[in-house]
Amino acid sequence: MKTFILFATIFFSLQAASITNFRLEHFCIKSQKNQFFIYRSFLLNNTQSYLALNTTTLETKILKSPLANPSPCNYDSRYFQLLHLEINKPYPLQNDGFIQSKNGIIITTDLCPSSKKGFEKRLYKALFQNFPNPVPVTLFITKRWIIKHKKAFHTLLLWEKERKLSITWGNHTAYHHYFPKRPLKENFVLAKNENLVNDVTNLEITLLEHGITPSIFFRFPGLVSNKKSALTIASLGYIIVGSNTWLAKGEKLKQNSIILVHGNKNEAKGVDILLKLIKEKRITQISDIKSAF
Ligand SMILES: [Zn+2]
């Protein structure tokens, strides 16, 4: 009964929020000894609001007006150092960004657009049935997946509300364009006509409309990018996350794994492998992505 009421509450509160006057920002404030990087502003149901990142913990939250006065950003803080590292790395065509964890195993599940019905329930259930709740998991989500999989999306929100999962809502672009016959360097976000800023912020707005606070983590569709797109993503404030353990591609589990599986049923093989690793107790602990870099 409790579950039903919670589900109904989530269902009827869907897209209750209106987001208007959405803008990119770039300034810092100090609040209760914490430094926050303010990187978006918008009207949330007509109230002036901001997307704010704690530059030490990498947690994001929504702050309401009035804000504390801007103060100079501390570029020695953890977040700005990570951004600095990110833009001073080489720019590979595949798997750019941070690909290994400094603090235990991280699980990331991509929710790219898919024509498959439902989602990998067995994957998320295995997490919260085998590890202390709430289990940290990162969802690199797309708007096109959300639109086609409302019920699955509600179930994930329900598990988050029930504190079975601690979800980090990662950005995987709204549209995740893909052209089966094109080479990688003209595919995904490198395709002609891609408007990357719009593709990224469009997903942020969708999440905010659903009452979700977007995180600071981004994964390129197909893990494909170039210098220009990586710099665009960095300028939007994001920490780019690749993977050293794409299970369906045969990459093996390591102590510093950032595991990549698909939660959208597009790559059952990776989920099969992950479930086997969990069953064999090869994964004993799962860490939060915010502690990984
Ligand atoms: Zn994808």
Side-chain angles (χ1 to χ4, degrees), residues 149-181:
H149 300 84
K150 286 256 156 82
K151 202 174 157 204
F153 182 53
H154 299 164
T155 304
L156 287 164
L157 283 171
L158 179 68
W159 286 336
E160 187 184 42
K161 285 225 170 181
E162 290 178 336
R163 297 193 53 76
K164 289 178 171 154
L165 298 177
S166 170
I167 299 178
T168 296
W169 297 91
N171 195 313
H172 199 36
T173 73
Y175 297 107
H176 195 296
H177 301 294
Y178 172 63
F179 306 90
K181 289 181 182 159

Side-chain angles (χ1 to χ4, degrees), residues 91-94 96 185 189-190 196 220 224-232 240:
Y91 299 91
L93 179 63
Q94 283 179 281
D96 194 6
K185 62 179 176 31
V189 305
L190 308 183
L196 190 51
F220 278 109
V224 168
S225 60
N226 60 7
K227 182 173 181 178
K228 188 174 168 222
S229 55
L231 289 177
T232 301
I240 300 166

Side-chain angles (χ1 to χ4, degrees), residues 94-111:
Q94 283 179 281
N95 209 12
D96 194 6
F98 295 92
I99 65 165
Q100 60 188 45
S101 162
K102 283 186 178 161
N103 184 34
I105 292 169
I106 308 296
I107 297 194
T108 66
T109 76
D110 291 4
L111 292 165

Side-chain angles (χ1 to χ4, degrees), residues 130-131 253 275-284:
N130 288 283
F131 298 94
L253 183 72
L275 296 194
K276 192 160 174 274
L277 290 170
I278 292 173
K279 204 172 166 197
E280 291 170 353
K281 307 230 177 288
R282 304 249 328 266
I283 300 174
T284 52

Side-chain angles (χ1 to χ4, degrees), residues 113 142-145 171-176 198-200 202-203:
T142 60
K143 182 175 178 175
R144 280 172 63 202
W145 184 85
N171 195 313
H172 199 36
T173 73
Y175 297 107
H176 195 296
N198 180 54
D199 210 357
V200 171
N202 196 325
L203 178 76

